Amino acid sequence: MMPKQTTDVDRLVGLRITTLRKARGLSQTALGTAVGVTFQQVQKYEKGQNRVGAGRLREIARLLEVPVAAFFEESEGGEVGSDDVFGFLNAPGAIELLRAYALIEDDQLRRDVLSIVRSAARLAHIKATPLPDGEAET
């Protein structure tokens, strides 16, 4: 009998384990030790190479302080995919940015930082948008 192939859902679960583990500041070794597997096994789960059993997934969810459903919930459009918050958290530096932001206790300073980041995003979008032929940047 051939072993069952992993699916897109297995890869999604793995991606979400990675994102939530990093958000908690846990290494693969720490997560593996806490749930009784090696860090290599955690790597395989996270890459979607191995399926996570129901009992182990429940234990991972408990450790990461999320409901088990967090590994499966669909995005607004009804599709399971990277356009949800988990996809955004995989952007380089996103988790570090969120950690730093969460440490800001002053509400006004937090709003100011958000305004700066939004402005930077708008500028990046403007720079990435090509100008129509014949127009020059001013």
Side-chain angles (χ1 to χ4, degrees), residues 6-46:
T6 56
T7 66
D8 287 342
V9 172
D10 296 313
R11 287 182 282 284
L12 175 70
V13 168
L15 173 69
R16 291 184 175 185
I17 289 172
T18 302
T19 303
L20 292 165
R21 174 184 61 76
K22 287 179 178 179
R24 291 274 179 229
L26 289 173
S27 67
Q28 290 176 328
T29 301
L31 178 61
T33 299
V35 298
V37 299
T38 64
F39 82 90
Q40 292 96 333
Q41 185 61 45
V42 172
Q43 285 178 333
K44 289 179 180 181
Y45 290 155
E46 290 185 355

Side-chain angles (χ1 to χ4, degrees), residues 31-137:
L31 178 61
T33 299
V35 298
V37 299
T38 64
F39 82 90
Q40 292 96 333
Q41 185 61 45
V42 172
Q43 285 178 333
K44 289 179 180 181
Y45 290 155
E46 290 185 355
K47 290 178 182 176
Q49 293 173 331
N50 284 9
R51 290 183 167 182
V52 184
R56 181 136 309 122
L57 188 60
R58 182 172 177 248
E59 185 61 20
I60 290 170
R62 185 194 62 74
L63 181 70
L64 297 176
E65 299 176 2
V66 297
V68 172
F71 298 107
F72 300 100
E73 289 175 349
E74 295 180 353
S75 63
E76 292 287 319
E79 295 180 10
V80 175
S82 62
D83 59 344
D84 59 16
V85 71
F86 289 94
F88 293 122
L89 288 175
N90 278 326
I95 291 174
E96 293 82 4
L97 180 65
L98 285 173
R99 277 196 193 129
Y101 183 82
L103 292 174
I104 300 171
E105 293 181 9
D106 181 84
D107 288 339
Q108 183 59 50
L109 182 56
R110 201 179 262 168
R111 283 191 294 274
D112 292 345
V113 167
L114 182 56
S115 178
I116 291 168
V117 172
R118 284 181 175 150
S119 294
R122 278 192 297 274
L123 286 173
H125 178 73
I126 289 168
K127 283 186 170 187
T129 304
L131 294 172
D133 288 337
E135 288 188 31
E137 280 191 49

